[in-house]
Amino acid sequence: MEIAGPVTPGQVAVLLGFVPILLGWLYAELLELWKNSRFFRTHSDDNSIALDIGSLGEEAKTQLIAGGLSVGSSVAHKQRPGLVRFFMMDKDFLLENRLTLRAISEFGVVLAYFYTCDRTDLFGESSKSYNRDIFFFLYFLLIIVAAITSFKIHHDTSPTSSKSALYLNRHQTEEWKGWMQVLFVMYHYFAAKEMYNAIRVFIAGYVWMTGFGNFSYYYVRKDFSFTRFCQMMWRLNFFVAFCCIVLDNHYMLYYICPMHTFFTLMVYCSLGIFNKYNNMGSVIAVKIAACFVVIAVIWEVPHVYDIVWSPFAFLLAYNDPDATKKFQPMHEWHFRAGLDRYIWILGMIYAYFHPTVERWMEKLEAAEAKLRILIKASITAICLLAGNMWYEYIYKLEKYTYNRYHPYTSWIPITVYICLRNITQEFRSYTLTLFGWLGKITLETYISQFHIWLRSGKPDAQPRRLLSLVPDYPMLNFMLNTIIYVAVAHRVFNLTNQLKVVFIPTRDNKRLLYNLITGAIVTITLYALSMVSLSLTKKLHTEA
């Protein structure tokens, strides 16, 4: 099996950390099996009697030893740091943290699968091929299946009143993300270049929801705690960080992640500063205006961008090794973040006025039938007219020309969609939950597509090829790859949340700080060991 690219210190560090955890988990599973077989069932004469260990006294627990497995452990032993107890293979510690060890081991296996698919020749690869008929047939087939199997009417009430307004409810936004994500990844899989402008609008929709969702959370919950900040960063960057290390890629290859991280931080900071005044409309107006000014100065004023972002080049620089035309390392960040630099602020504005719009909609639903129909018909007509004009004069432009207009016009199709999607009480209460389910794992499907659905073959390269598990049968290969791809993405989503609960506990800042310090120490130690091991290996290889 041939490996693409040299082995890096980061890859060795991950391997050095993963192997002991995998062994610890396997040992913990054996201990669990042993405990269940030896202590929970004892046999006396002809009857099996379940022994409830939890009901034993503390003294009995410390004395109950069978086959070398101690049920209790001394207080001094338990007071040792968790890392020490792990390396000592403390049986109680392993049993207590068995599920966490299993989750980390599963995550490690997923990363190993990513590496195997994208950095070795164990599996084949094939070329992308676009056929408009097949592309839209597959997408509309999915819509039909979703409509038949997952159509649901929601009866949730508005958080600001007891009425069923459901304007831009969570089910609806998850569905929105889901159907956009399907088209987004299909665009990559089939190289549907004619969909480029639509994909730009979809990404703007995601960024709009970043502003809308984060503003709604912080404005209502007022939770600007360090714990919440860490949870937010974990959700956005835990998975992609390990992909960068294991696949030896730059952060900007997965440009959606730094984009959402940056815009999320902007919302967090803008609302977090002087947050006790957030209940004043004038303060919110000043904060939103300040966001516009900051972004405009950075991206619109010459040379300011370079001054602001050059210190972050180590994180945001990127060059495609296969690109025919080379750009400056920070060009990619300037281009990607610049396309959607304003739309997240529009999301904040929409979130601020969300309760007001809900009240208007409640009054509209209670109005006389003729007036209600007239207003809704007028809104629909205006939206269709605006949408058609945008389509004719903006969307149809050639991609490079369209990119110049996109930052200032992407709000038009987004607003049109929101208005039409919520035009009636019944329509906004309907969702296809299959797309809602897919909408929850958009981050995982975005990252995973690079390595187990598509294939780049080397560090920092764009995924211009397809992973081929069934050679010469493109549709069968598409089906099998998609099943594995979606299943893995969903599992990574669950593992990310499971580990977040463990390592970033809620309302326990002392433990959180301990975990952060421990994580930093472990990372530095593993990286140092990897450097030493690679140096020794290189030296031995040279001598040989």
Side-chain angles (χ1 to χ4, degrees):
M1 183 174 68
E2 186 177 346
I3 296 176
V7 177
T8 66
Q11 292 168 343
V12 175
V14 170
L15 183 63
L16 290 175
F18 171 67
V19 170
I21 290 175
L22 178 63
L23 295 176
W25 168 60
L26 294 174
Y27 185 36
E29 293 291 349
L30 288 175
L31 291 174
E32 180 70 13
L33 182 64
W34 193 0
K35 184 182 73 172
N36 290 338
S37 63
R38 293 295 296 266
F39 297 127
F40 282 94
R41 292 195 178 277
T42 60
H43 300 278
S44 176
D45 298 327
D46 295 329
N47 299 318
S48 275
I49 303 174
L51 176 61
D52 183 5
I53 298 177
S55 65
L56 296 176
E58 289 300 320
E59 185 176 352
K61 281 186 180 181
T62 58
Q63 294 176 355
L64 183 56
I65 301 174
L69 176 61
S70 174
V71 177
S73 55
S74 66
V75 174
H77 201 52
K78 286 192 173 184
Q79 286 180 344
R80 290 172 178 168
L83 200 59
V84 175
R85 294 178 68 190
F86 171 76
F87 282 107
M88 292 181 65
M89 287 291 141
D90 184 326
K91 296 174 182 178
D92 286 330
F93 178 82
L94 294 178
L95 285 171
E96 291 167 6
N97 296 277
R98 179 175 59 88
L99 296 180
T100 300
L101 294 173
R102 177 193 293 176
I104 298 174
S105 299
E106 279 189 70
F107 187 72
V109 170
V110 167
L111 293 174
Y113 180 63
F114 277 37
Y115 189 88
T116 302
C117 290
D118 198 34
R119 292 292 189 271
T120 73
D121 59 356
L122 185 63
F123 301 115
E125 63 180 26
S126 58
S127 301
K128 296 181 180 182
S129 176
Y130 177 61
N131 180 293
R132 183 188 294 173
D133 183 41
I134 292 176
F135 183 91
F136 285 105
F137 168 77
L138 290 172
Y139 186 66
F140 287 118
L141 179 63
L142 180 62
I143 292 176
I144 293 169
V145 171
I148 293 172
T149 62
S150 68
F151 178 81
K152 186 175 181 180
I153 302 175
H154 301 277
H155 301 286
D156 301 0
T157 58
S158 168
T160 58
S161 70
S162 59
K163 298 182 180 180
S164 299
L166 293 173
Y167 166 64
L168 273 175
N169 59 83
R170 183 65 177 267
H171 308 292
Q172 187 186 123
T173 54
E174 295 288 9
E175 178 202 64
W176 183 8
K177 288 193 294 183
W179 68 255
M180 288 196 303
Q181 184 72 359
V182 172
L183 281 172
F184 184 36
V185 297
M186 286 179 65
Y187 160 79
H188 286 150
Y189 191 92
F190 292 102
K193 294 181 180 179
E194 68 175 357
M195 296 288 293
Y196 176 86
N197 291 357
I199 299 305
R200 297 275 67 81
V201 176
F202 296 163
I203 295 174
Y206 294 130
V207 177
W208 180 92
M209 279 185 266
T210 295
F212 180 84
N214 281 288
F215 184 96
S216 299
Y217 178 87
Y218 292 117
Y219 186 71
V220 174
R221 299 287 184 88
K222 300 176 176 59
D223 179 10
F224 300 94
S225 64
F226 181 62
T227 299
R228 172 62 187 176
F229 174 82
C230 291
Q231 290 172 340
M232 179 175 62
M233 292 297 103
W234 178 285
R235 177 71 188 97
L236 290 171
N237 293 291
F238 170 73
F239 183 32
V240 71
F242 276 95
C243 285
C244 288
I245 296 170
V246 172
L247 281 303
D248 191 25
N249 289 326
H250 278 78
Y251 188 35
M252 265 306 295
L253 178 67
Y254 316 93
Y255 66 89
I256 294 292
C257 297
M259 272 178 56
H260 283 288
T261 299
F262 170 60
F263 295 134
T264 297
L265 286 173
M266 287 294 291
V267 178
Y268 178 83
C269 292
S270 61
L271 288 183
I273 297 172
F274 301 117
N275 60 80
K276 63 181 179 180
Y277 301 108
N278 283 347
N279 60 333
M280 299 172 61
S282 57
V283 172
I284 294 297
V286 169
K287 289 185 174 186
I288 290 175
C291 289
F292 269 115
V293 170
V294 168
I295 295 298
V297 168
I298 292 175
W299 263 272
E300 311 287 357
V301 178
H303 309 301
V304 175
Y305 171 86
D306 296 327
I307 296 171
V308 171
W309 290 112
S310 56
F312 302 96
F314 72 97
L315 189 64
L316 299 172
Y318 172 77
N319 268 317
D320 181 358
D322 297 325
T324 54
K325 183 179 180 181
K326 298 295 182 181
F327 294 96
Q328 293 295 323
M330 292 298 288
H331 167 81
E332 187 76 1
W333 174 244
H334 182 272
F335 171 67
R336 297 294 184 181
L339 281 174
D340 300 306
R341 57 185 179 268
Y342 296 118
I343 196 65
W344 62 277
I345 307 176
L346 269 293
M348 292 173 64
I349 295 173
Y350 285 34
Y352 179 72
F353 287 105
H354 182 272
T356 303
V357 175
E358 275 204 331
R359 289 193 295 270
W360 290 349
M361 295 177 76
E362 288 173 5
K363 293 179 180 179
L364 179 60
E365 295 299 333
E368 183 183 5
K370 289 183 179 180
L371 178 61
R372 184 169 68 249
I373 293 172
L374 176 62
I375 293 175
K376 290 184 177 182
S378 301
I379 294 173
T380 302
I382 293 170
C383 287
L384 292 175
L385 178 62
N388 182 67
M389 291 182 65
W390 170 83
Y391 177 78
E392 290 293 335
Y393 297 104
I394 302 295
Y395 180 81
K396 286 185 175 181
L397 293 172
E398 176 269 337
K399 62 181 287 187
Y400 296 107
T401 305
Y402 173 82
N403 284 341
R404 293 200 294 270
Y405 289 96
H406 176 81
Y408 314 103
T409 61
S410 61
W411 64 273
I412 299 173
I414 290 172
T415 304
V416 168
Y417 174 80
I418 292 171
C419 291
L420 296 180
R421 184 66 177 85
N422 292 273
I423 196 65
T424 70
Q425 178 70 51
E426 293 76 16
F427 194 37
R428 58 180 172 264
S429 66
Y430 302 155
T431 65
L432 302 181
T433 55
L434 175 59
F435 286 116
W437 179 78
L438 290 169
K440 294 178 181 178
I441 58 173
T442 51
L443 181 66
E444 288 72 25
T445 50
Y446 168 72
I447 297 170
S448 299
Q449 66 170 325
F450 283 77
H451 309 297
I452 61 172
W453 207 42
L454 312 174
R455 181 179 163 89
S456 59
K458 59 183 177 181
D460 281 339
Q462 292 293 326
R464 294 183 172 89
R465 308 280 289 175
L466 305 177
L467 178 66
S468 180
L469 301 180
V470 188
D472 303 321
Y473 292 90
M475 297 312 294
L476 288 177
N477 184 68
F478 172 75
M479 180 184 70
L480 178 60
N481 264 343
T482 301
I483 292 171
I484 297 172
Y485 159 61
V486 174
V488 169
H490 181 255
R491 188 58 191 150
V492 170
F493 169 78
N494 288 332
L495 291 173
T496 301
N497 288 326
Q498 181 180 343
L499 293 174
K500 180 181 70 175
V501 172
V502 174
F503 293 107
I504 308 182
T506 305
R507 299 188 184 91
D508 192 347
N509 290 335
K510 184 177 180 181
R511 184 180 163 198
L512 173 60
L513 183 60
Y514 171 80
N515 288 344
L516 290 174
I517 294 173
T518 303
I521 293 173
V522 169
T523 300
I524 294 170
T525 302
L526 289 175
Y527 192 81
L529 289 174
S530 70
M531 293 289 288
V532 172
S533 62
L534 284 176
S535 178
L536 290 175
T537 302
K538 185 178 180 180
K539 184 177 180 181
L540 291 173
H541 180 73
T542 303
E543 292 176 354

